[in-house]
């Protein structure tokens, strides 16, 4: 059969995630908070420099030093980031934790040393403090996010902790992850960064990986996506094997989603060996479209296709991958590299409708905040938050924007977009907007998402995403009406048709109930035999959480 040459499709019409690198994003974060913050006296760079000495930063700084930090010419010290928080009246660790998360995520390879670390100064004192924090973590005492930061940074820096017993590494990780999966905002970021440090520790990594894998295998754990996706940042072979295992024989839909998302980044970090790349390609080919609610299987396929050395091959064979990929006995043409045919693997181009959403939201945010109307970085970030094909990139961009004064106007505009029936009914538009709202939204935006969760006539993927988002948007403590109505609605759908989609949505609803502290409704779900098993297991998991874990996750 004759083969025709097929041109590679065009690149997406926006820069890649690293077009503004980690340092540049941290610089922008500091600048917009100073320029657009609530305290007008802090806007002037000279006035800010005059007030800088004190608090977390005990020495004077010049205007030129501040300028270099805010333009990304030089890295900013951790203590200086904390001083920005103090002078601007921001919540403790909001900027610092966001900066750490951004730098770690956009690193070109998995980091062996935590970014913006405060460890290493006064090593003996730091070791003593770490010993206290370790005893605290292994006890029933409260653990704050900054406690986990201090403990895990010191574990990475000081050799004396390298030979801890396996049981200690396991207990530390189990408690950390239990708090992380029910935390939100800064408490979540602090714990997620702490987990990343353990996952990259030379002695603790395999124990941390084992804990994540065990949690993913637990059918009651609605956060399986989160704990498997966390394995993307470690090159440890156990993590790579675990991700491939979840792709080949997933413990559930949530674990499979996490494995797909982790694979996107692990391919970029070259964590897979050539045989594992072929195994990965085969696994991706076997995933049915019904599993790809968030478009991440397609995104992973695109990443595999765009690997250096990939060439079109054997287009007459069924499926998107050539025999050299499907057959483990065959070797690829280019040693160590995957080759894949482009059929069905066109890179994601944001729909015109979604690009319009991004433009309108950006316009509203600029209008609301006034200055920086020509800020190219803001334009890039808003476009990325809605239009980037990789869910994880959208998530981390949302976290960055949520730590700026743009958060409220961006969320207001996103909710306004969802009020248009055409946007809500278009999955490719509704899912990214709902994904952003789970980070930038607050209690004021919740009613709009609740209406989508109960709306009739919308695609199932949109409804499921709305319910999932409600697990991360603050709820009014005195309002049980939505949860009662939604529970009745989805329980009826499950009872009438034993619909798997209704079971998945019910599990997401139970997760949201747990995050909102609705223990009475959780008991009803757990004790009602007619509810799907996964929802009952998730309710039981929430009810079994200790008061210590719940209290710690809030700090």
């Amino acid at each position: 059969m004759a083969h025709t040459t097929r041109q590679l499709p065009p690149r997406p019409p926006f820069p890649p995630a690293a077009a503004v690198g980690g340092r540049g994003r941290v610089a922008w974060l500091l600048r917009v908070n100073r320029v657009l913050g609530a305290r007008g006296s802090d806007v002037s760079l000279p006035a800010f420099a005059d007030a800088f000495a004190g608090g977390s930063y005990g020495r004077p700084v010049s205007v030129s030093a501040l300028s270099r930090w805010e333009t990304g010419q030089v890295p900013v010290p951790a203590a200086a980031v904390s001083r920005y928080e103090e002078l601007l009246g921001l919540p403790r660790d909001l900027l610092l934790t966001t900066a750490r998360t951004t730098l770690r995520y956009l690193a070109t390879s998995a980091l062996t040393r935590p970014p913006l670390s405060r460890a290493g100064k006064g090593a003996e004192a730091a070791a003593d403090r770490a010993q206290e924090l370790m005893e605290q973590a292994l006890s029933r005492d409260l653990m704050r996010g900054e406690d986990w930061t201090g403990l895990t940074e010191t574990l990475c820096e000081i050799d004396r902790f390298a030979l801890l017993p396996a049981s200690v590494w396991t207990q530390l990780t189990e408690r950390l992850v239990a708090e992380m999966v029910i935390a939100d905002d800064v408490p979540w970021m602090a714990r997620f960064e702490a987990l990343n440090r353990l996952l990259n520790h030379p002695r603790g990594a395999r124990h941390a990986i084992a804990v994540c894998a065990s949690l993913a295998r637990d059918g009651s754990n609605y956060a399986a996506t989160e704990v498997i996706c966390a394995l993307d940042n470690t090159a440890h072979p156990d993590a790579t094997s675990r991700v491939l295992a979840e792709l080949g024989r997933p413990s559930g839909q949530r674990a499979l989603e996490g494995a797909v998302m982790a694979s996107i980044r692990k391919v970029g970090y070259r964590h897979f060996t050539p045989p594992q790349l072929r195994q990965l390609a085969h696994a991706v080919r076997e995933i049915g479209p019904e599993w790809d609610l968030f478009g991440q299987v397609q995104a992973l396929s695109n990443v595999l296709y765009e690997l250096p050395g990939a060439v079109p091959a054997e287009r007459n064979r069924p499926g998107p991958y050539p025999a050299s990929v499907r057959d483990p006995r065959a070797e690829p043409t280019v040693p160590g590299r995957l080759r894949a045919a482009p059929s069905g693997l066109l890179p994601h181009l944001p729909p015109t409708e979604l690009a319009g959403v991004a433009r309108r939201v950006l316009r509203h945010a600029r209008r609301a905040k006034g200055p920086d109307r020509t800020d190219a970085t803001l334009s890039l970030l808003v476009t990325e938050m809605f239009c980037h094909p990789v869910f994880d990139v959208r998530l981390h961009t949302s976290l960055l924007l949520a730590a700026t004064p743009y958060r409220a106007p961006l969320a207001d505009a996103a909710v306004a977009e969802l009020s248009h029936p055409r946007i809500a009914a278009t999955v490719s538009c509704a899912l990214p907007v709902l994904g952003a709202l789970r980070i930038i939204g607050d209690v004021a935006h919740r009613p709009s998402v609740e209406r989508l969760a109960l709306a009739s006539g919308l695609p199932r993927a949109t409804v499921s995403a709305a319910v999932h988002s409600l697990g991360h948007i603050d709820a009014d403590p005195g309002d049980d009406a939505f949860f009662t109505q939604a529970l009745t609605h989805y329980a009826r759908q499950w009872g009438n048709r034993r619909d798997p989609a209704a079971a998945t949505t019910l599990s997401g609803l139970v997760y949201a109930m747990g995050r909102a502290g609705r223990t009475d409704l959780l008991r009803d779900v757990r004790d009602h035999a007619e509810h799907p098993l996964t929802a009952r297991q998730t309710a039981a998991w929430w009810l079994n959480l200790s008061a210590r874990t719940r209290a710690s996750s809030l700090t």
Side-chain angles (χ1 to χ4, degrees):
M1 178 182 294
H3 294 261
T4 58
T5 301
R6 182 178 299 183
Q7 296 295 319
L8 287 176
R11 291 283 181 181
F14 52 86
V20 177
R23 186 190 293 179
R25 292 178 189 224
V26 172
W28 179 83
L29 175 70
L30 298 178
R31 179 170 61 83
V32 296
N33 274 283
R34 178 183 59 80
V35 173
L36 303 180
R39 298 186 178 183
S41 61
D42 295 332
V43 170
S44 164
L45 201 60
F48 201 65
D50 289 343
F52 207 83
S56 295
Y57 202 81
R59 58 186 184 276
V61 297
S62 65
V63 171
S64 62
L66 287 176
S67 178
R68 288 194 295 273
W69 289 341
E70 292 190 6
T71 54
Q73 295 178 53
V74 296
V76 58
V81 179
S82 295
R83 187 58 178 154
Y84 268 80
E85 295 168 351
E86 294 164 355
L87 288 173
L88 297 173
L90 296 172
R92 181 182 173 90
D93 287 342
L94 172 64
L95 300 183
L96 182 58
T97 304
T98 302
R100 284 170 168 157
T101 298
T102 300
L103 291 169
R104 189 263 312 157
Y105 184 73
L106 288 178
T108 55
S109 61
L111 297 177
T112 57
R113 189 178 188 277
L116 287 174
S117 174
R118 282 180 169 146
K121 295 182 179 180
E124 198 61 34
D128 292 342
R129 176 59 178 151
Q131 189 66 49
E132 294 174 7
L133 289 173
M134 191 178 306
E135 293 171 1
Q136 182 177 326
L138 297 174
S139 72
R140 292 181 173 273
D141 292 344
L142 192 76
M143 281 289 285
R144 301 168 299 173
E146 62 189 82
D147 295 332
W148 283 113
T149 298
L151 174 57
T152 53
E153 281 187 346
T154 309
L155 288 175
C156 291
E157 295 284 347
I158 299 180
D159 292 340
R160 78 162 68 168
F161 295 109
L163 298 179
L164 290 174
S167 60
V168 171
W169 290 111
T170 298
Q171 289 176 63
L172 287 175
T173 309
E174 286 176 342
R175 176 169 182 180
L176 172 59
V177 174
E179 294 176 9
M180 181 189 77
V181 299
I182 62 172
D184 219 347
D185 293 328
V186 173
W188 177 82
M189 281 193 288
R191 287 166 174 81
F192 193 70
E193 293 310 303
L195 176 61
N196 272 280
R197 294 180 196 111
L198 294 183
L199 288 169
N200 283 285
H201 193 280
R203 296 300 296 266
R206 63 188 181 93
H207 307 294
I209 293 164
V211 169
C212 291
S214 175
L215 286 169
R217 288 193 294 267
D218 180 1
S220 67
N221 189 349
Y222 188 75
T225 300
E226 191 173 328
V227 294
I228 287 296
C229 191
L231 302 182
D232 66 354
N233 195 50
T234 173
H236 196 287
D238 288 0
T240 306
S241 298
R242 187 64 247 164
V243 167
L244 286 172
E246 286 294 348
L247 285 169
R249 301 190 59 166
S251 303
Q253 179 171 344
R254 303 288 300 171
L256 176 61
E257 289 171 355
V260 170
M261 293 179 194
S263 296
I264 293 172
R265 199 141 173 262
K266 292 182 85 66
V267 168
Y269 279 169
R270 300 183 181 275
H271 289 174
F272 295 107
T273 64
Q276 287 175 328
L277 275 176
R278 287 191 291 272
Q279 184 182 347
L280 173 63
H282 177 77
V284 171
R285 183 176 181 272
E286 296 300 314
I287 299 174
E290 69 277 7
W291 291 86
D292 195 19
L293 294 180
F294 296 100
Q296 296 312 284
V297 175
Q298 181 65 47
L300 176 55
S301 296
N302 295 343
V303 169
L304 290 172
Y305 170 55
E306 292 176 355
L307 279 175
V311 295
E314 302 178 331
R315 293 190 182 91
N316 59 321
R317 290 182 177 270
Y321 296 102
S324 60
V325 171
R326 292 198 303 270
D327 185 354
R329 296 168 298 179
E331 290 298 323
T333 302
V334 181
R337 293 175 178 173
L338 174 73
R339 56 178 186 159
S343 56
L345 298 179
L346 297 180
H348 174 95
L349 293 173
T352 303
E353 198 72 67
L354 183 57
V357 168
R359 283 195 300 271
R360 290 189 294 272
V361 171
L362 174 64
R363 187 163 56 243
H364 176 83
R366 283 177 168 162
R367 192 182 303 128
K369 300 310 296 183
D372 273 4
R373 293 179 60 84
T374 59
D375 188 340
T377 300
L378 176 64
S379 177
L380 165 68
L381 294 175
V382 172
T383 305
E384 202 173 87
M385 179 172 69
F386 291 119
C387 299
H388 201 282
V390 177
F391 175 87
D392 233 20
V393 172
R394 299 198 301 268
L395 169 67
H396 283 80
T397 304
S398 300
L399 291 169
L400 179 64
L401 288 167
T404 74
Y406 288 114
R407 176 175 185 162
L410 287 172
D412 293 343
V415 162
E417 290 295 324
L418 288 174
S419 68
H420 300 297
R422 185 182 69 259
I423 301 298
T426 305
V427 172
S428 60
C429 291
L431 264 60
V433 176
L434 287 165
L437 280 171
R438 67 191 282 264
I439 305 298
I440 62 175
D442 60 23
V443 65
H445 307 106
R446 188 178 177 91
S448 297
V449 182
E450 289 179 347
R451 283 193 289 274
L452 288 182
L454 292 172
S456 59
L458 288 179
R460 286 183 174 182
T462 298
V463 173
S464 179
V467 172
H468 179 68
S469 296
L470 290 171
H472 300 274
I473 301 174
D474 289 343
D476 185 338
D479 183 13
D480 280 329
F482 165 75
F483 284 117
T484 302
Q485 184 181 358
L487 182 59
T488 301
H489 174 72
Y490 288 110
R492 185 184 301 118
Q493 282 192 4
W494 167 253
N496 291 342
R497 302 193 298 269
R498 287 298 190 265
D499 183 2
T504 300
T505 306
L506 265 173
S507 294
L509 183 65
V510 170
Y511 180 81
M513 290 175 183
R515 287 271 299 110
R518 304 300 201 267
T519 54
D520 53 337
L521 295 174
L522 290 173
R523 291 191 190 96
D524 289 345
V525 174
R526 180 195 62 187
D527 298 338
H528 199 305
E530 287 302 308
H531 287 311
L533 179 61
T534 52
R536 295 172 62 200
Q537 288 175 330
T538 302
W541 180 83
W542 274 102
L543 291 168
N544 288 336
L545 287 173
S546 67
R548 175 200 70 178
T549 300
R550 285 178 172 273
S552 292
S553 71
L554 299 174
T555 61

